[in-house]
Amino acid sequence: MRRFWGLMRAYWFSDRWKEAWGLTLAIGLLTAMSSKASVWIAEASGELVNSIAFFHDPANLTPLASLLTGAGTLLLLVLLKDAGFIGIRHLFSTTLHRKWRGWLNGRFNEALLDNNHTHFHLQHGARAETDAFPTLDNIDQRVQESIKGLTGGAIGLAMGILGVVMSLFFVGQKLLETSTMVNGLEFLGHYGSAVLAFAAVTAYVPINTYIAMKLGGLLERLTVKIQQAEGSYRGELTTFLRRSFHVAASRSESVHKEVHNRLYRDIDETWARLNNIHAGYLSFELFYNFVAARIVAYTPALIPYIHGKIGLKGYVTGAELVGSLITQCSWFIHVMPEISALKANARRVADLAEAIENVQRPKEFYRLSGHCEFCYRTQHSVFGLTVQNLELMHQGSDVMPFLVASNLHFRRGEWIFVRGEAGCGKTCLLKAINGLWPYGRGNIVLPESVKSFYATQDVKLPQVSLKQLVCLPCGRDTYSDAHVAAALHKAGLGELIEHLNHEAREGGIWDRILSGGQKQKLVLARILLHQPGLLFLDEATGALDPEAKIAFHQAIKDNCPNVIMISVMHEISPPKSATGVEFYDSVLTIANAVATKRPVAAYLSVKPATLIAQSEPAGRKPRQLPNISLKRSWGGM
């Protein structure tokens, strides 16, 4: 589905091909009937005009009956076409739109949320300006709005093309049947008037279609641009609303107002240009319709009518047929703005599909913009976790590593406390071990058949039940209510057990009503429920007060005896239990771009001032310690 036609045909050759082709055939049949009805309406219009013209003719013995019959027949045919064929076709086409969009949305949903973490690589794979695969903007808009516009526009386009083909067949057939000889074109025989009609359509429609296509190209480019601008503005607004507390606390509304105004100015300027093109196109289309309906449609049959070759009925019928033919062949002109929107949506969806396919092999993908030579293997769980010759880098082919770890070994049941200055690479190290850091090289040997769990400081909760939140990443039926309730109780959230199967509490979803500390306790409940053998805590206790941090660690110590825990924290010294016993066995220090590991006793034997000096970048003077306790105080949120 990397290209337009791949997107167009994928659904019809999927496992739901019967549904797709069944709806398509129904739409095609109804379109053909609608085109045939146009011929019947043209004939009925001729009969009605003829009955009006000869209403007072002495030869017309039943003028009123003829008039009423003609009007009634025309009304019934219009009703049959519009309310019958077209109305029912609309129902089938909207059903096809809904089914196709749902299938395509499901495919992208599965692709983005696969085990390869495709959604992560698409958003965090930094790209150079010269890369063949640029970073995608507004993925949410592409999946939601662009797919909807693509599927709806494609169905409308297909129905329009089919309508044109059917009209050419039925209307053309009728024009040939009713054709007559034209003075000056006797060599054409009885096909003279039909040839004139086809010549008029051929001369008028293509030229104007070309003009419409040029205008449509401008509309397409502006549509893509306004979609990008709208998506950026919506994305910024969504992010702002999610962090509204932080904006209010920092009183930074003026800054966000400036950002919003700048983003909306881009929308407004693009919208203005788009409106100008739309206005010009509308004027062109109205003028085109007038000339087509009032001049071009009535010109071909005028010559044979003047020379008495056909009567008024034949003249009106022929004009109606030519008008119907022009209308159908001009369908591209009438829907060119929609076609431009379709092409714009197709481009954005195809770009997304291509990007998803490009990141299916992350190593090859990241090698396009930097070094990516990580090797992941497994070993027996008794040997724990091993990291060898690890070098972490940023994007680029000639960059130096910002973190080096030559040989690190973490034995089963060992707790490791990671410390270092902000920005030294603590989180990057955890990401690299988990396969979430793109650039660098090294060997990571993981314990086999062991569950891994990665907890971060910032906890985002999807809108599901409390039980589902605790069971993540497993399904809610994986664990019993009793097991989940026990985990919540051990994590210090026993008061929430009665709301286990609720998606909200007191009208608010869990992500909004739980404090930062409660969210981190919820993560603790997950850990206690899943019993991982490899646990990464990336400042996962930052929102807890000192007592709650001790309880957090104690709960893991009591319930996960063989877990390898690697924890990043802000504290200078690792926390201890309530009885003064060390939780952590080792300290991993990152200083001057090098990671070194030593026993916690050796680390604590170093004087506090020396510890801080070791964490300072080279060339910077050590910070002076104030005359206060080294233990940092943390307030709950």
Side-chain angles (χ1 to χ4, degrees), residues 260-549:
H260 294 169
N261 289 339
R262 174 173 53 81
L263 291 173
Y264 192 80
R265 275 197 302 272
D266 192 19
I267 295 175
D268 188 65
E269 291 170 1
T270 307
W271 197 357
R273 293 195 293 270
L274 192 61
N275 286 344
N276 291 336
I277 301 298
H278 270 296
Y281 195 92
L282 178 62
S283 300
F284 159 75
E285 186 180 2
L286 291 173
F287 181 77
Y288 171 85
N289 290 340
F290 175 81
V291 173
R294 295 290 182 268
I295 299 176
V296 179
Y298 283 87
T299 299
L302 184 61
I303 297 176
Y305 178 70
I306 291 174
H307 290 90
K309 300 294 184 180
I310 57 174
L312 180 61
K313 174 184 175 182
Y315 177 54
V316 173
T317 300
E320 288 287 334
L321 289 171
V322 174
S324 176
L325 189 62
I326 292 176
T327 300
Q328 293 296 334
C329 292
S330 303
W331 179 84
F332 292 100
I333 296 175
H334 300 320
V335 299
M336 190 58 68
E338 287 76 12
I339 293 175
S340 301
L342 166 63
K343 292 173 67 178
N345 286 316
R347 186 194 307 181
R348 289 176 69 75
V349 176
D351 287 346
L352 175 59
E354 183 174 6
I356 288 174
E357 291 193 24
N358 290 334
V359 301
Q360 292 306 301
R361 293 179 293 278
K363 277 190 177 181
E364 288 78 358
F365 175 69
Y366 288 116
R367 282 172 184 164
L368 296 171
S369 54
H371 294 284
C372 184
E373 306 296 335
F374 295 108
C375 179
Y376 293 89
R377 303 194 306 274
T378 61
Q379 61 187 5
H380 195 283
S381 60
V382 73
F383 298 113
L385 168 67
T386 303
V387 176
Q388 297 174 327
N389 303 320
L390 184 69
E391 295 180 357
L392 301 187
M393 306 173 185
H394 291 296
Q395 178 187 353
S397 57
D398 55 351
V399 296
M400 297 296 293
F402 63 85
L403 190 153
V404 176
S406 298
N407 189 10
L408 299 175
H409 180 71
F410 309 99
R411 67 183 185 276
R412 184 168 63 173
E414 183 180 7
W415 286 31
I416 302 92
F417 178 80
V418 183
R419 73 168 313 277
E421 279 291 297
C424 68
K426 300 186 296 295
T427 296
C428 298
L429 175 62
L430 267 59
K431 288 181 177 178
I433 295 174
N434 284 273
L436 298 175
W437 184 259
Y439 301 110
R441 59 174 64 95
N443 300 312
I444 295 96
V445 187
L446 300 163
E448 61 185 359
S449 304
V450 165
K451 290 182 181 179
S452 177
F453 194 99
Y454 191 155
T456 61
Q457 181 180 20
D458 191 17
V459 182
K460 298 295 184 183
L461 303 177
Q463 191 172 344
V464 294
S465 68
L466 180 61
K467 181 182 178 181
Q468 177 72 78
L469 291 175
V470 180
C471 290
L472 287 174
C474 299
R476 57 172 294 159
D477 297 329
T478 307
Y479 297 94
S480 67
D481 289 0
H483 282 91
V484 175
L488 284 171
H489 177 73
K490 293 176 183 177
L493 294 175
E495 72 276 9
L496 301 180
I497 292 176
E498 61 181 305
H499 304 285
L500 203 59
N501 294 305
H502 299 164
E503 292 187 3
R505 180 184 179 188
E506 297 175 356
I509 60 175
W510 294 110
D511 190 56
R512 293 179 182 174
I513 65 173
L514 294 181
S515 68
Q518 287 177 312
K519 289 180 180 180
Q520 292 185 339
K521 289 181 180 180
L522 184 65
V523 172
L524 173 60
R526 289 181 192 167
I527 296 170
L528 301 180
L529 183 67
H530 290 284
Q531 297 282 304
L534 190 57
L535 177 59
F536 302 89
L537 301 181
D538 190 358
E539 300 180 17
T541 59
L544 301 176
D545 57 41
E547 291 76 16
K549 286 182 182 179

Side-chain angles (χ1 to χ4, degrees), residues 119-146:
H119 62 94
F120 173 81
H121 297 308
L122 282 177
Q123 297 181 89
H124 295 84
R127 315 247 62 70
E129 292 183 0
T130 57
D131 276 350
F133 310 123
T135 302
L136 290 176
D137 64 282
N138 309 311
I139 294 176
D140 58 333
Q141 185 193 53
R142 294 172 188 262
V143 174
Q144 183 182 7
E145 296 177 9
S146 295

Side-chain angles (χ1 to χ4, degrees), residues 602-614 625 630:
Y603 172 81
L604 294 176
S605 65
V606 182
K607 293 182 179 180
T610 306
L611 292 179
I612 295 181
Q614 288 177 346
L625 283 175
L630 290 176

